[in-house]
Amino acid sequence: MATDAVAQLADSLAKTQVTEGELSYKGQGRKFDNAQSVEEMVKEIQEFKGLQALRLEGNTYGVEAAQAIAKALETKSEFKYCYWSDMFTGRLRSEIPPALNSLGAALMTAGARLTVLDLSDNAFGPDGVKGIEKLLKSTACHTLQELRLNNCGMGIGGGKILAAALTECYKQSSAQGTPLGLKVFIAGRNRLENDGATALAQAFQLMGSLEEVHVPQNGINHPGVTALATAMQHNPQLRVLNLNDNTFTKKGAIAMAQALKHLRSIQVINFGDCLVRSEGAIAIAEAVTEGLPILKELNLSFGEITGEAALLVAQSVEGKATLEKLDLNGNCLGEEGCDDLREVMDGLNMGDLLGSLSDDEGEPEEDDEDEEEEDDEDDVEEEEDSSVNQVSSPPSVPRSPDAASFLCFPSPDKLLKLGTKRALLFEQQVDVADAGKTAEAFLKISSVYNEEDEQVKSAVLDSIDAILRKAFASPSFQGYNFVSSLLVMLGLLKSEDKVKPVHVVPGHLQALEYVVRQDYFPQDHIAVLEAFMSRHIQALESCSSARNILKSTLEHFRPEN
């Protein structure tokens, strides 16, 4: 759970390897209120030749004490490492900014070039960020590689100030030919929320040099997660991504999955306690399958993931030789689902890499929730049906009322009456940039499929071909979103959105069987479909023959075959 994130942060924060040129007062638990109280320390700093690192953490410093220490630092031009976490315990918040200002000004006066700035566990809030704002913008931070601000209570305001300072530092350092190359950013437990995270994401995207990002427990929801996901795509050397205990939901998880496809250096992914849910887990599983060749750890614990989606996650790590741990604890697998998951991992010879499942929440109870939402779902369905003929398309393409009419109320006769240009009409009518709308159109058209009527059968397949070939040809088309939307609409996968499943007919599965055989359909999606078609689901019982044929085709076209 969240404790995993704390442990991961503690490990990262403990990685301090500088000993030569280091002066340490770490963890002495002393209280320094004024200049007299730090006289001995000041003398040692002044006399220390080639001082590079100063550890002040684990003590508490007043304004006068900080100013005296700062004066001693003004001549230390070789200074690089500020280990200044937990140094204001018991101090008034108003004391912290002037203390930080003094220390920062001294480093600028000295002409220092910092590598590490660690101010974690100082509850200084937005005003504290203002206390280091000038330092962050100065030449002293043009060389900064690690910025550690864990548990500082920055809030949204502090996050925005920090983002602006980093952006200014990057611009000024770039103008001098040495752009800021920040590698490690740690800011867990800071209440950044969406606005703070979004502001920082813009700075991250600009820098493009990050290797570790830790922002757990920040109250970030899908808009902020999506902004961070976009930024991460521009940081190709990213190795560790820790967003534990924020709230992705489907939108955030899908955005993050898209980002992962660009991050081949990623080694540790911690999305535990992030409510990625089943649809998000499927998207992430697909990203893992497609890439991440040196992945060591994947944490999707406590995310309301169901058994089938968890199995796909497990299957996605097949062949990941560097994997050390897969954490799916605290999800909604149920006893049988946990057994199935262990069996899959054992079959991959990776059973020892699966974390504990002791906190599994059991299979979700859908009936009560479905009853509570039934009226709302009906309202949503009516809105969706009434808007089918309003699906967006390029402004230059005129609407086709006949195609729209068919999509509202499909029938074989209407399909045939569209004539030989029906494929073009559907291409114009359906916004294939929207994976959900594309899936909906597929189900509408395939619902009239008739194996015994060659004319209708041909019309259905030609129309589906036109839509899906165009969709999958677009680099921006989210194929995994299309597949998950299909599964939701067919009632095979529960969605966080209020979507009422369609009545499954053989035509849906027969048309899908045709599609998976086409060259435009990505083979990476086949494992997902096969997993769900193999389940015992009441909605598919009336289509057993079509389902068996589809299962056979999926097995045949599975990538490993």
Side-chain angles (χ1 to χ4, degrees):
M1 299 178 69
T3 53
D4 295 327
V6 174
Q8 195 171 43
L9 272 177
D11 178 62
S12 184
L13 290 168
K15 293 175 182 174
T16 53
Q17 301 176 12
V18 175
T19 53
E20 186 179 349
E22 176 181 292
L23 188 57
S24 177
Y25 302 93
K26 179 179 179 180
Q28 296 181 5
R30 299 170 64 183
K31 186 177 182 181
F32 301 104
D33 293 326
N34 50 42
Q36 184 178 359
S37 66
V38 292
E39 280 183 354
E40 183 180 346
M41 185 186 299
V42 167
K43 184 179 179 182
E44 290 178 343
I45 293 172
Q46 289 172 336
E47 294 177 352
F48 197 111
K49 301 292 185 180
L51 181 66
Q52 294 184 37
L54 178 62
R55 292 187 174 277
L56 299 176
E57 65 262 54
N59 302 291
T60 177
Y61 304 84
V63 175
E64 289 185 17
Q67 289 172 340
I69 295 169
K71 188 69 177 176
L73 288 172
E74 287 182 353
T75 60
K76 303 302 176 180
S77 60
E78 298 177 47
F79 196 79
K80 296 180 181 179
Y81 305 94
C82 303
Y83 297 115
W84 297 347
S85 63
D86 187 22
M87 56 181 284
F88 296 114
T89 300
R91 301 292 172 182
L92 295 175
R93 183 169 286 189
S94 60
E95 294 182 83
I96 301 175
L100 291 174
N101 265 317
S102 298
L103 291 165
L107 297 178
M108 289 185 278
T109 299
R113 294 292 184 269
L114 297 183
T115 299
V116 175
L117 178 58
D118 184 357
L119 290 165
S120 297
D121 299 314
N122 290 309
F124 50 47
D127 289 340
V129 184
K130 292 178 182 177
I132 59 171
E133 186 177 9
K134 289 182 180 178
L135 174 63
L136 288 172
K137 291 179 178 179
S138 74
T139 55
C141 285
H142 286 187
T143 53
L144 193 64
Q145 293 184 17
E146 300 184 16
L147 179 58
R148 303 165 182 262
L149 297 169
N150 196 55
N151 191 30
C152 288
M154 290 189 290
I156 295 172
K160 289 182 175 180
I161 295 169
L162 177 61
L166 290 173
T167 299
E168 183 65 22
C169 182
Y170 178 82
K171 289 180 178 178
Q172 289 190 16
S173 59
S174 296
Q176 295 181 19
T178 55
L180 172 65
L182 191 68
K183 294 181 178 180
V184 177
F185 180 85
I186 298 177
R189 300 180 66 186
N190 269 291
R191 303 193 309 277
L192 293 172
E193 301 182 19
N194 290 331
D195 289 349
T198 299
L200 285 167
Q202 294 171 351
F204 297 162
Q205 183 168 331
L206 193 64
M207 291 185 291
S209 56
L210 289 166
E211 295 180 10
E212 289 190 33
V213 174
H214 300 261
V215 285
Q217 294 179 293
N218 267 294
I220 306 171
N221 299 324
H222 74 80
V225 172
T226 299
L228 287 170
T230 300
M232 293 306 102
Q233 293 184 40
H234 296 270
N235 288 266
Q237 300 306 311
L238 191 70
R239 295 182 293 103
V240 179
L241 183 56
N242 177 7
L243 276 83
N244 189 287
D245 203 8
N246 290 291
T247 306
F248 283 32
T249 61
K250 180 183 74 173
K251 292 180 180 178
I254 288 175
M256 199 57 75
Q258 184 65 29
L260 290 176
K261 294 184 177 183
H262 298 265
L263 301 173
R264 295 188 61 79
S265 297
I266 203 83
Q267 296 179 23
V268 177
I269 299 171
N270 188 342
F271 296 161
D273 277 319
C274 284
L275 209 65
V276 299
R277 295 199 171 117
S278 295
E279 290 174 273
I282 290 172
I284 292 169
E286 186 165 307
V288 174
T289 300
E290 291 181 9
L292 312 190
I294 57 174
L295 183 66
K296 289 184 177 180
E297 182 177 336
L298 175 59
N299 184 348
L300 296 178
S301 60
F302 298 90
E304 293 190 3
I305 300 169
T306 56
E308 295 77 13
L311 292 179
L312 291 170
V313 173
Q315 291 165 359
S316 74
V317 301
E318 181 178 5
K320 306 295 179 186
T322 56
L323 191 74
E324 297 174 0
K325 184 177 181 181
L326 172 62
D327 190 348
L328 288 166
N329 196 20
N331 283 298
C332 305
L333 312 186
E335 185 175 347
E336 184 177 344
C338 288
D339 289 341
D340 290 343
L341 181 59
R342 294 188 188 98
E343 184 179 339
V344 168
M345 290 299 286
D346 286 340
L348 298 174
N349 293 319
M350 297 173 120
D352 58 332
L353 306 183
L354 179 64
S356 169
L357 299 174
S358 60
D359 294 318
D360 186 72
E361 299 285 345
E363 293 186 68
E365 297 179 5
E366 301 181 9
D367 292 342
D368 293 340
E369 186 177 341
D370 289 345
E371 287 175 7
E372 292 173 5
E373 296 181 352
E374 185 174 359
D375 292 339
D376 289 337
E377 289 176 345
D378 288 341
D379 291 341
V380 171
E381 184 186 41
E382 289 174 9
E383 290 173 9
E384 290 176 347
D385 285 345
S386 66
S387 65
V388 170
N389 62 349
Q390 298 175 8
V391 178
S392 60
S393 63
S396 60
V397 179
R399 293 283 180 203
S400 169
D402 291 332
S405 175
F406 171 85
L407 291 172
C408 280
F409 303 102
S411 73
D413 287 343
K414 284 185 180 179
L415 182 63
L416 295 178
K417 286 179 180 178
L418 292 176
T420 57
K421 294 184 178 181
R422 66 178 69 86
L424 177 61
L425 294 175
F426 282 124
E427 277 190 58
Q428 295 173 344
Q429 184 65 33
V430 178
D431 179 12
V432 296
D434 186 322
K437 292 294 184 184
T438 305
E440 182 182 5
F442 169 82
L443 292 177
K444 296 271 190 180
I445 297 169
S446 61
S447 68
V448 303
Y449 182 95
N450 186 340
E451 185 69 34
E452 297 179 359
D453 188 327
E454 284 296 327
Q455 194 175 8
V456 172
K457 175 182 174 181
S458 178
V460 167
L461 298 183
D462 286 348
S463 301
I464 287 172
D465 251 346
I467 294 173
L468 296 188
R469 191 175 295 277
K470 180 180 178 182
F472 283 108
S474 171
S476 61
F477 185 69
Q478 296 181 331
Y480 52 84
N481 202 357
F482 168 78
V483 172
S484 65
S485 295
L486 270 185
L487 295 172
V488 168
M489 293 176 189
L490 289 170
L492 308 184
L493 175 65
K494 188 176 180 180
S495 171
E496 65 188 64
D497 300 323
K498 297 174 181 177
V499 177
K500 192 169 184 178
V502 301
H503 173 66
V504 183
V505 297
H508 291 140
L509 307 186
Q510 290 167 326
L512 188 55
E513 189 273 339
Y514 166 82
V515 167
V516 300
R517 290 189 278 112
Q518 305 311 305
D519 57 2
Y520 57 75
F521 189 81
Q523 289 193 329
D524 292 335
H525 301 324
I526 288 176
V528 176
L529 290 172
E530 184 181 2
F532 281 86
M533 288 301 152
S534 299
R535 292 176 57 194
H536 179 71
I537 300 175
Q538 187 175 359
L540 298 179
E541 287 183 358
S542 62
C543 311
S544 58
S545 177
R547 179 174 68 167
N548 290 337
I549 294 172
L550 174 56
K551 282 174 59 180
S552 177
T553 300
L554 290 168
E555 290 173 6
H556 177 74
F557 282 90
R558 198 189 309 155
E560 60 263 33
N561 289 346

